[in-house]
């Protein structure tokens, strides 16, 4: 039995991380990230925000995604073939058509859009995160967010719940008050989170 690997990378990804890295002092190679993910999952988070352009990154992977194998080069210049067998996931909040061309989109056969959650789903996520962080329930905090932001043009994001509630915790610790959730504390957290300073 094995545990399938899950490799996650984000904005720090660059082209050199997709090649073998040779350590001459120790005389060994470190495998690139996508090879470490073989047999498992390779998640490229925040796609489009890497240190290299999306086009450069995708040009590097267009053959492996099509043929399910890649070629790596040793320090001697010798090339060899390796499997490229993992579930590759590109996650982005940018429009994919702004990042890649149709040829690449064809190679990514499955595309899943995750729309903004409706209020019922948002409240479930909010309450789950509230419980996880050990905060008291406070429906007025969600009411405030909808009155001030979400009903006035800002799209709710599922990640807002965690980010806002962690901001509430930080505000409480900074003010040296008991960590709690109130409408007023949520208003303070939202002002900072959404950069709505007066």
């Amino acid at each position: 039995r094995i545990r399938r690997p899950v490799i996650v990378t984000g904005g720090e990804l660059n082209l050199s991380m997709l090649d073998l890295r040779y350590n001459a002092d120790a005389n060994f190679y470190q495998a690139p990230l996508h090879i470490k993910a073989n047999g498992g999952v390779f998640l490229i988070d925040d796609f489009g925000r890497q240190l290299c352009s999306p086009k450069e990154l995708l040009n590097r992977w267009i053959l492996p995604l099509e043929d399910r194998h890649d070629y790596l080069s040793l320090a001697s210049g010798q090339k060899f073939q390796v499997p490229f067998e993992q579930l590759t996931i590109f996650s982005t909040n940018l429009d994919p058509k702004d990042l890649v061309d149709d040829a690449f989109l064809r190679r990514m056969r499955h595309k899943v859009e995750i729309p903004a959650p409706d209020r019922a789903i948002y409240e479930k996520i909010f309450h789950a995160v509230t419980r996880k962080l050990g905060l008291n329930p406070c429906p007025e905090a969600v009411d405030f967010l909808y009155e001030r932001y979400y009903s006035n043009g800002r799209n709710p994001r599922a990640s807002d719940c965690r980010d806002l509630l962690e901001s509430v915790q930080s505000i409480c610790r900074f003010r040296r008050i008991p960590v709690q959730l109130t409408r007023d504390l949520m208003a303070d957290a939202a002002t900072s989170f959404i950069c709505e300073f007066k």
Side-chain angles (χ1 to χ4, degrees):
R1 289 188 175 194
I2 63 163
R3 179 173 288 133
R4 290 180 182 272
V6 176
I7 304 294
V8 180
T9 185
E12 75 281 2
L13 181 64
N14 61 49
L15 289 178
S16 68
M17 295 168 76
L18 306 179
D19 294 321
L20 283 172
R21 283 181 277 172
Y22 179 59
N23 183 323
D25 295 331
N27 195 29
F28 79 93
Y29 290 90
Q30 176 138 345
L33 294 175
H34 61 289
I35 300 303
K36 290 179 179 180
N38 257 330
V41 175
F42 185 35
L43 171 61
I44 300 95
D45 198 16
D46 280 335
F47 181 63
R49 303 185 194 281
Q50 281 66 39
L51 297 173
C52 54
S53 75
K55 187 173 183 178
E56 291 174 312
L57 195 56
L58 299 175
N59 282 340
R60 169 65 180 81
W61 275 329
I62 204 155
L63 179 70
L65 285 168
E66 180 82 21
D67 296 340
R68 310 308 299 167
H69 63 261
D70 194 11
Y71 292 93
L72 299 178
S73 297
L74 299 173
S76 64
Q78 180 183 357
K79 285 193 169 201
F80 63 98
Q81 183 177 310
V82 291
F84 189 86
E85 289 291 343
Q86 74 275 120
L87 175 61
T88 307
I89 301 172
F90 295 89
S91 168
T92 185
N93 56 9
L94 305 172
D95 187 338
K97 290 180 180 160
D98 293 339
L99 299 175
V100 297
D101 59 22
D102 287 340
F104 187 79
L105 287 173
R106 250 190 350 265
R107 287 167 173 84
M108 298 303 291
R109 290 185 179 91
H110 306 287
K111 298 155 195 83
V112 179
E113 180 183 9
I114 301 174
D118 63 25
R119 181 157 181 167
I121 298 293
Y122 186 91
E123 286 181 357
K124 284 183 181 178
I125 296 167
F126 190 92
H127 295 310
V129 176
T130 300
R131 278 192 306 275
K132 181 179 178 185
L133 296 178
L135 292 167
N136 56 291
C138 182
E140 297 84 11
V142 175
D143 292 340
F144 167 79
L145 293 171
Y146 272 86
E147 290 164 15
R148 181 75 180 92
Y149 301 106
Y150 301 142
S151 296
N152 292 311
R154 181 181 173 84
N155 278 333
R157 293 177 297 201
S159 60
D160 286 355
C161 302
R162 178 202 61 217
D163 297 338
L164 287 164
L165 289 167
E166 286 179 352
S167 291
V168 167
Q169 286 182 316
S170 297
I171 290 168
C172 291
R173 285 196 283 273
F174 179 77
R175 293 179 183 171
R176 298 181 186 206
I177 61 174
V179 176
Q180 60 189 313
L181 178 57
T182 66
R183 182 185 173 103
D184 289 342
L185 286 167
M186 179 53 69
D188 292 343
T191 297
S192 172
F193 178 69
I194 297 170
C195 297
E196 193 183 52
F197 299 110
K198 296 173 184 171

